Amino acid sequence: MRRGLFPIAAAFGLLLAAGLSQSQTQYPPYGPYPVPPPPYPQPPRPVRPVDPMEPVPFRAGDGRITGWKVAIPGGRPLATPAIAEGKLYLGGGFGSHEFYGLDARSGRRVWTYHTADDGPTAAVVEDGLIAFNTESCELEILSTGGRPLWKKWLGDPLMSMPAMAGGRVYMAFPDSRGRGTYYLAAFDLRGGDEIWRAALPGEIITAPVIEGDRIYVSTVGGMMVAFNRRDGTCLWEEARNATSAPAIWNERAFVSRREATQVRVGNSVAAQQTEVLATQATASPASPMVDLKATQRNADYLDYAKRAGKPAEVQSQAYDAAVGFGGASKGSALMAPAQANLGQASVHGIWSYQGSKPFVVNGRLYSSMGATAQCVDAPTGRVIWVRNLRDARRPGYTDDILTPPAVVNGKVFVGTRWGFVYALNAETGAVIWQVDIGEPVSFQPAVVMGRVYVGTDRGSVFCLETGDPRDDGWTMWGGNARHNGR
């Protein structure tokens, strides 16, 4: 038995040895490889894609003011930026479908929100929420991180901007699907529920103004109306030929208003439109309106007959045509009242119109009329200073007008249609500095933490470093979400 097994075991051993020998022949062990000396090759670094909205440095011609510029795609007219939580919030302009959040210090884009309707106007920000409306119909609420919360279709077109206070957002709009009536309504800021709705005599100028428990508006036809902002009760309504949203101070309303005077031209008499600051008590609808006569100026910019063929009006009509409002067709918007009172006959013109909006700071009334900035003692109406800022190097035009002033830190900041931004001494009107940014500015600047922010009619947003961190506190159009200054 053992002898029989031995040949089998021997044969198995030979086969095993042959297999191991074959395996070692086919798969020899790997030897060591030499290690290359340093420096060792590095993998290529990922390249950050270039944002078409990449900020570029800006430096004034005299080198005193520096900052940055961001070109918004489309090159459309831009409204006033809103600044909050270290970010700048800005719509892409009349006709656009974008709304942006930029880093307020660097100008870099943080987020983009795409609207369903076109034409985001100037935004208001409060309690971590952003409110803005599109020209084409909707009120929208976003978080400051760019997340949409709710939106509501109101009417077409929407030519003013919203106001915020006490957890509510207020907006004026036409009843496009009804009888064409205009309304002012209050909505819950968080959920969008309508709290109240009150009838208006027409489209309003720029925005509602909130002071205390009241909300005030001026219409494009010149009416002034006051409401209880808690329940929408109309407190009074007066025909005043108002040409701006009001400023409310010390229980008085201050507003610019139009007056036509007769002037002799050769052998004939013609109407000359003028503008004057005026005031009335807010408590009673019977209070008379008192003109501050020393502020009266000729106002060809309010005369449509003198504006009709000028470049600004031609451009506004072109913007209208681009969004479906070409010719006489302006949706639910009634152009006749605005044409007669403001000299405006386009949706874009009313969307961008701010008028000679006054603001009261420390008992002084600051405003811009045409090419003139001025300061008036609010209690007495005495003119303290007047500063004409027309650029002598450029020919005068009917639409050579300044933006409403932003007043902070003893300074008055204004932009101009011919491309300048000014800082004036609030006490004397003296020019502290001026910067030629090369692009027309129609909307009021914002001033925050030593920086002046302006949007231009050519689709750029500029940040100008003033060098003084006390230049601060004017965070959006009208100073804050209530639009009544600081």
Side-chain angles (χ1 to χ4, degrees):
M1 184 71 179
R2 291 175 180 172
R3 288 195 300 266
L5 289 173
F6 179 77
I8 296 173
F12 179 78
L14 290 171
L15 288 172
L16 181 61
L20 289 173
S21 175
Q22 184 180 16
S23 175
Q24 290 174 356
T25 302
Q26 291 181 348
Y27 304 102
Y30 294 104
Y33 289 98
V35 177
Y40 303 114
Q42 299 294 321
R45 296 180 179 179
V47 178
R48 183 174 66 87
V50 176
D51 188 339
M53 289 173 52
E54 188 77 10
V56 297
F58 173 82
R59 179 179 292 274
D62 61 5
R64 292 177 60 191
I65 303 294
T66 61
W68 49 257
K69 169 188 173 181
V70 171
I72 305 297
R76 301 176 177 91
L78 301 180
T80 301
I83 317 297
E85 300 180 11
K87 296 187 184 68
L88 179 153
Y89 306 102
L90 179 72
F94 188 85
S96 78
H97 287 79
E98 288 77 35
F99 190 89
Y100 301 100
L102 310 181
D103 182 271
R105 181 181 293 273
S106 69
R108 295 190 184 280
R109 174 162 42 174
V110 179
W111 52 258
T112 301
Y113 171 74
H114 296 277
T115 65
D117 293 301
D118 64 86
T121 189
V124 290
V125 187
E126 194 168 88
D127 297 332
L129 297 181
I130 306 167
F132 68 93
N133 59 279
T134 60
E135 164 273 310
S136 167
C137 320
E138 292 186 334
L139 173 65
E140 302 213 27
I141 307 297
L142 311 180
S143 73
T144 50
R147 179 174 61 89
L149 272 70
W150 58 268
K151 65 180 181 177
K152 190 178 294 289
W153 191 96
L154 296 179
D156 187 18
L158 302 179
M159 296 183 286
S160 60
M161 62 185 78
M164 270 190 202
R168 295 180 180 183
V169 57
Y170 300 87
M171 187 71 206
F173 58 94
D175 183 11
S176 302
R177 294 173 177 170
R179 295 173 297 175
T181 307
Y182 280 83
Y183 294 102
L184 177 69
F187 303 95
D188 177 73
L189 184 57
R190 296 285 171 179
D193 293 335
E194 185 175 306
I195 299 169
W196 56 256
R197 177 184 297 205
L200 282 170
E203 177 65 66
I204 73 169
I205 298 173
T206 316
V209 173
I210 298 170
E211 178 65 22
D213 61 358
R214 294 187 176 191
I215 185 166
Y216 302 85
V217 299
S218 298
T219 73
V220 297
M223 301 292 291
M224 290 182 64
V225 192
F227 298 92
N228 182 310
R229 75 177 181 91
R230 302 300 177 184
D231 58 17
T233 302
C234 181
L235 303 174
W236 51 261
E237 178 180 318
E238 296 290 329
R240 299 301 194 193
N241 290 351
T243 55
S244 74
I248 312 300
W249 176 79
N250 202 24
E251 299 184 352
R252 298 197 67 85
F254 295 85
V255 70
S256 60
R257 59 187 298 268
R258 178 187 57 82
E259 282 195 352
T261 61
Q262 299 298 315
V263 296
R264 182 167 293 280
V265 181
N267 295 324
S268 61
V269 175
Q272 172 65 57
Q273 299 297 336
T274 68
E275 193 172 35
V276 64
L277 289 175
T279 181
Q280 74 172 64
T282 60
S284 170
S287 298
M289 176 71 76
V290 178
D291 289 342
L292 308 181
K293 287 295 187 181
T295 67
Q296 193 161 16
R297 302 278 187 277
N298 286 346
D300 287 349
Y301 48 84
L302 297 177
D303 191 335
Y304 185 72
K306 295 179 179 178
R307 292 191 69 251
K310 295 296 177 23
E313 178 63 15
V314 172
Q315 183 64 72
S316 287
Q317 294 294 346
Y319 284 132
D320 274 17
V323 296
F325 290 126
S329 175
K330 306 298 183 184
S332 298
L334 302 177
M335 290 291 110
Q339 181 173 325
N341 191 52
L342 306 179
Q344 299 290 333
S346 67
V347 172
H348 168 263
I350 299 173
W351 179 90
S352 60
Y353 179 86
Q354 297 156 84
S356 302
K357 169 73 170 78
F359 293 94
V360 182
V361 179
N362 297 328
R364 291 189 172 185
L365 185 67
Y366 297 91
S367 67
S368 302
M369 285 185 177
T372 301
Q374 61 188 347
C375 172
V376 176
D377 182 65
T380 66
R382 177 179 61 89
V383 174
I384 298 172
W385 56 257
V386 175
R387 177 66 59 181
N388 191 313
L389 296 176
R390 188 177 302 280
D391 183 9
R393 298 171 301 173
R394 294 169 169 86
Y397 296 101
T398 301
D399 293 291
D400 275 357
I401 59 175
L402 309 180
T403 68
V407 187
V408 296
N409 189 31
K411 300 171 187 173
V412 179
F413 297 90
V414 295
T416 76
R417 288 283 181 91
W418 50 94
F420 281 85
V421 178
Y422 286 89
L424 309 178
N425 184 301
E427 293 293 323
T428 66
V431 175
I432 299 172
W433 53 257
Q434 66 184 61
V435 175
D436 184 356
I437 63 173
E439 299 184 23
V441 180
S442 293
F443 277 82
Q444 182 184 53
V447 186
V448 181
M449 296 183 67
R451 302 180 183 93
V452 179
Y453 298 91
V454 292
T456 76
D457 292 357
R458 296 179 187 168
S460 300
V461 56
F462 285 81
C463 170
L464 307 176
E465 300 273 0
T466 71
D468 187 346
R470 295 171 298 176
D471 296 338
D472 184 35
W474 206 275
T475 56
M476 61 198 76
W477 192 94
N480 54 41
R482 293 162 176 77
H483 302 309
N484 197 35
R486 297 184 63 196

